[in-house]
Amino acid sequence: CLGTLAAILKETLKDALVARAGVLKKLLAPLDAVLEGFYSAILLHHFDSQHYTSPYSEAANNLISFIDLLEALLASRIELELPLRCQRILFLKVSYVLNVISSSIPYVIKKKFILLLKKCVLYKSREDAKSGSLFLQTPSLCEDMLALSNVVLQVVNLTWLNQIPLSGKSSYFGSSEAAPGHDSQGGSDQTVLRALSLVVLKALEFKIHNSATEAEIK
């Protein structure tokens, strides 16, 4: 079901001949509350269980399908002037995703979530893209980016980054030590390192731009 819905969303976004906003509203509005419930139920799962030890397990495949759907929902957001809750949920409840990334879930899934976060911090509405401004003008997107930035900066201020592996085997963020039995020459995953760094920098940039006082900025 998740895969089918993601595929329909992607095909709708490709189709230049349809009134995409109308089609998306018709498709997603009845599912809005359901998809938000799915988001909470799926991402609050215990990912340290044995069902997720292999990236090829059915449970892991289901989660990858859900990430694909979240990506399609993010991409579809640009078509609606007032986005639906299911298109905003990644921003408003980003803590769920951050918890999954720091769990013992297979590396390939962590990486997909980190790259999805990168798409979130780089996202611009059609109005913002047209204006060419460095800072967001769309109220709902400003609100969402601020919510995301606050949570990202809170976890980064703790020890969250130190729990994030930078390859499927060895090095961790903030450490060059290889895990026992692994070749230290393997190096870290530069794609993930760049994506994580960008997420933190963008969160910091947005928070500073939207802080009222100098003390808050510091």
Side-chain angles (χ1 to χ4, degrees):
C1 287
L2 295 173
T4 303
L5 185 54
I8 292 169
L9 280 173
K10 287 173 186 173
E11 287 305 312
T12 304
L13 292 173
K14 282 183 202 168
D15 195 342
L17 299 174
V18 298
R20 289 190 289 249
V23 172
L24 288 168
K25 257 189 181 168
K26 206 172 182 180
L27 175 67
L28 294 175
L31 294 172
D32 204 21
V34 175
L35 289 173
E36 184 176 357
F38 265 16
Y39 183 91
S40 302
I42 291 172
L43 298 188
L44 275 178
H45 200 68
H46 294 292
F47 292 107
D48 299 327
S49 75
Q50 59 186 12
H51 298 297
Y52 293 92
T53 49
S54 165
Y56 307 107
S57 67
E58 187 183 354
N61 276 327
N62 288 341
L63 190 55
I64 288 170
S65 292
F66 189 58
I67 298 171
D68 289 340
L69 176 58
L70 290 175
E71 200 171 324
L73 286 168
L74 177 66
S76 70
R77 176 177 176 147
I78 201 165
E79 299 295 337
L80 299 185
E81 201 174 317
L82 288 171
L84 296 165
R85 180 86 180 173
C86 64
Q87 294 170 309
R88 302 178 64 193
I89 196 75
L90 255 175
F91 296 87
L92 300 176
K93 292 188 176 179
V94 71
S95 59
Y96 291 35
V97 169
L98 298 176
N99 287 338
V100 175
I101 292 170
S102 60
S103 72
S104 61
I105 207 152
Y107 179 75
V108 65
I109 298 176
K110 289 178 193 266
K111 183 170 181 173
K112 279 183 80 72
F113 268 123
I114 289 167
L115 294 177
L116 182 59
L117 280 183
K118 176 186 162 186
K119 287 185 177 178
C120 285
V121 298
L122 292 177
Y123 179 82
K124 279 193 173 180
S125 70
R126 191 164 279 149
E127 291 73 19
D128 288 315
K130 276 181 191 168
S131 74
S133 168
L134 287 174
F135 300 105
L136 304 175
Q137 314 296 322
T138 312
S140 64
L141 186 54
C142 273
E143 186 187 323
D144 293 357
M145 281 297 290
L146 193 56
L148 182 144
S149 299
N150 282 334
V151 175
V152 166
L153 292 175
Q154 279 168 19
V155 297
V156 166
N157 206 27
L158 301 171
T159 57
W160 184 79
L161 278 178
N162 298 332
Q163 301 168 51
I164 312 303
L166 288 179
S167 81
K169 294 181 178 177
S170 52
S171 59
Y172 277 70
F173 201 101
S175 167
S176 57
E177 291 178 26
H182 289 302
D183 180 7
S184 61
Q185 300 302 310
S188 56
D189 186 332
Q190 296 300 303
T191 304
V192 168
L193 180 58
R194 283 194 299 269
L196 273 174
S197 301
L198 185 66
V199 167
V200 176
L201 286 170
K202 280 290 190 184
L204 198 56
E205 177 189 41
F206 196 80
K207 179 67 176 168
I208 287 170
H209 181 69
N210 288 277
S211 293
T213 64
E214 197 177 332
E216 199 178 1
I217 290 170
K218 281 182 181 177

